[in-house]
Amino acid sequence: MKIFSLFSGVGGFELGMPKDWEIVGFSEIDKYASQVLKYHYPNVKNYGDIQKIDWGQVPDFDVLTGGSPCQDFSIAGKRRGLRGSKSSLAWEYIRCLRDKKPRYFIWENVKGVLSSRRGFDFGNILVAFSESGYSLWWQVLNAKDFGVPQNRERIFVIGFREGSPKEVFFE
């Protein structure tokens, strides 16, 4: 399986993937996070700013991972939702899905996306994922339930181009 990572940070998604899966690219703009990625993955290209990526120039991949910026969805933020400059980058994630059509995707975000603009933002994102050709499965998971000493709730949306999302069980 080949993976492309958006909003990569220091590569958290990549650490959780099977070691025999190939990472074909990243999209990360933070200077320090990019240095960590380069250290751990010296032969993998960082395509930089997601808004400037020409997806026709990116190798094909099977799995797209990433959590678009959450500041505008977070209950700790100003709650601008998809209208905010950061969280609106979710549309760039969707542009990638529509251009590259990977078999699967994993999108992660804060639980606050569920209540952003009374749920309309999350509904719009789900509709866009579905209209991009994916069957969907989603669930809120808490890091404390997986051995992390932190109460950190996150939503995960899994998309499948073929097959059923019922194949995914986090239990």
Side-chain angles (χ1 to χ4, degrees):
M1 294 285 248
K2 295 182 179 185
I3 305 168
F4 195 96
S5 174
L6 298 177
F7 315 105
S8 303
V10 296
F13 269 112
E14 295 74 16
L15 291 173
M17 297 296 169
K19 297 298 179 205
D20 60 338
W21 288 19
E22 178 187 358
I23 301 161
V24 299
F26 300 105
S27 172
E28 179 54 57
I29 60 170
D30 181 82
K31 174 183 169 182
Y32 300 107
S34 295
Q35 289 174 348
V36 171
L37 290 171
K38 186 165 184 68
Y39 176 80
H40 288 290
Y41 306 99
N43 300 317
V44 179
K45 181 175 180 176
N46 182 350
Y47 288 80
D49 186 345
I50 189 171
Q51 298 173 95
K52 297 177 182 174
I53 295 176
D54 175 358
W55 290 108
Q57 301 300 313
V58 173
D60 288 338
F61 49 88
D62 304 295
V63 182
L64 178 66
T65 64
S68 53
C70 66
Q71 292 92 325
D72 300 312
F73 294 136
S74 175
I75 59 170
K78 294 184 179 177
R79 305 289 283 168
R80 291 187 180 116
L82 287 171
R83 295 183 211 164
S85 64
K86 301 237 189 275
S87 294
S88 64
L89 291 173
W91 297 120
E92 291 295 327
Y93 189 104
I94 292 162
R95 180 176 68 94
C96 173
L97 289 176
R98 291 178 176 173
D99 288 355
K100 293 305 287 184
K101 298 177 177 41
R103 289 172 52 197
Y104 310 100
F105 75 83
I106 304 169
W107 182 76
E108 173 271 338
N109 220 290
V110 295
K111 182 181 172 185
V113 71
L114 295 172
S115 60
S116 177
R117 292 183 348 120
R118 297 185 323 251
F120 287 108
D121 285 336
F122 187 60
N124 283 331
I125 291 168
L126 290 180
V127 167
F129 285 155
S130 180
E131 288 177 345
S132 298
Y134 293 89
S135 297
L136 305 173
W137 182 91
W138 62 272
Q139 184 171 341
V140 174
L141 299 173
N142 194 328
K144 73 178 184 178
D145 297 328
F146 297 90
V148 177
Q150 183 179 46
N151 187 32
R152 187 174 176 93
E153 293 179 302
R154 293 290 183 267
I155 187 159
F156 289 84
V157 179
I158 312 294
F160 297 73
R161 280 198 84 69
E162 299 169 7
S164 168
K166 294 178 184 174
E167 299 167 9
V168 175
F169 298 101
F170 279 105
E171 284 71 37

